[in-house]
Amino acid sequence: SGRTTTGAANRKAWLEELRGVEDAAFQKRLPRQLSDASPIDPYRLVHEINEFLTEDSIYIGDGGDIVTFSGQVVQPKSPGHWMDPGPLGTLGVGVPFVLAAKYARPDKEIVALFGDGAFSLTGWDFETLVRFNLPFVGIVGNNSSMNQIRYGQIAKYGEGRGRIGNTLGDVRYDEFARMLGGYGEEVRDPKDIGPALRRARESGKPSLINVWVDPEVYAPGTMNQTMYK
């Protein structure tokens, strides 16, 4: 507009303050993003996913706590390359989003992160992806729990009621993928995440990398939600 005394120039100090806060948060979580702990810290998982994405990767998140972790770390490389529940749907949208995105944009790589609870809602349509030959790289952050719900119950009602109605089985989603004709791997060591993701990409098939993450940690975004207070 030609204005020189308003707009971005006046916001420079504020933007620098925001960048300072963001950098401090990054430095605080960086040791966990690089952690070799087992069970795997969810921050390490989403860090590896962020490192794995390319300019052509459409990233889809489907879950509660695990997708809250990814929202802090995963940065798709191009506009319009992020889809997740919340503004665009609710839990269970992941597999339908993968189907639609890959069918609409066969030239793009689709990378999807699921919580095990979210994947269980619509996961049988993985067979549809196999049947229509729609490859994607899928990751299940598996803690055998609806962990965001679990946190809320503990916060409201105490540890004694924390496990009511939110504990899931130790499901081998890698075996599920192979059973339906896709590619699957199980990961328990954080150093194996990156190689497993690359093998899934190279397989050219719908894939699920089943990553066992620590069920005893929660995303800051989960712990700060007012509905759990």
Side-chain angles (χ1 to χ4, degrees):
S1 65
R3 291 178 295 178
T4 59
T5 59
T6 60
N10 285 349
R11 294 195 297 270
K12 184 177 179 182
W14 178 64
L15 291 172
E16 288 176 351
E17 180 182 350
L18 293 180
R19 289 190 183 101
V21 172
E22 184 66 19
D23 184 63
F26 171 75
Q27 295 299 331
K28 181 179 179 179
R29 69 174 179 262
L30 185 59
R32 291 181 61 185
Q33 289 182 214
L34 303 177
S35 171
D36 288 330
S38 183
I40 295 168
D41 191 311
Y43 271 125
R44 176 64 184 269
L45 172 58
V46 296
H47 171 82
E48 293 290 342
I49 293 171
N50 189 52
E51 294 293 304
F52 175 74
L53 296 182
T54 72
E55 296 291 332
D56 285 328
S57 300
I58 294 175
Y59 175 73
I60 295 168
D62 185 14
D65 198 54
I66 195 69
V67 172
T68 305
F69 275 109
S70 82
Q72 291 184 272
V73 175
V74 177
Q75 297 180 339
K77 312 304 180 195
S78 302
H81 283 52
W82 174 291
M83 301 172 72
D84 72 5
L88 299 176
T90 188
L91 295 191
V93 298
V95 172
F97 279 5
V98 170
L99 278 162
K102 189 62 180 177
Y103 199 74
R105 298 298 305 273
D107 56 313
K108 294 288 185 179
E109 174 181 73
I110 311 299
V111 179
L113 171 64
F114 305 93
D116 52 322
F119 183 82
S120 69
L121 297 174
T122 55
W124 271 109
D125 267 324
F126 186 92
E127 190 275 334
T128 308
L129 288 155
V130 173
R131 186 162 19 103
F132 282 86
N133 190 28
L134 299 172
F136 79 106
V137 178
I139 307 101
V140 180
N142 198 335
N143 52 25
S144 305
S145 306
M146 292 277 198
N147 230 29
Q148 197 167 66
I149 304 303
R150 179 184 168 215
Y151 175 82
Q153 290 178 197
I154 292 171
K156 279 191 172 185
Y157 308 117
E159 288 283 350
R161 296 186 178 183
R163 278 289 184 187
I164 296 174
N166 54 48
T167 301
L168 307 173
D170 297 334
V171 179
R172 289 285 303 275
Y173 286 105
D174 53 306
E175 293 183 355
F176 174 83
R178 293 195 296 270
M179 178 186 75
L180 294 178
Y183 180 83
E185 278 195 49
E186 179 186 39
V187 173
R188 293 185 180 273
D189 188 322
K191 293 189 288 294
D192 294 334
I193 298 171
L197 294 176
R198 291 189 287 273
R199 286 190 289 269
R201 172 185 281 157
E202 292 161 3
S203 75
K205 296 181 178 182
S207 66
L208 290 177
I209 307 303
N210 188 58
V211 182
W212 296 101
V213 295
D214 191 340
E216 302 305 324
V217 298
Y218 306 95
T222 291
M223 294 187 289
N224 290 330
Q225 290 193 43
T226 56
M227 64 181 175
Y228 298 145
K229 302 297 185 183

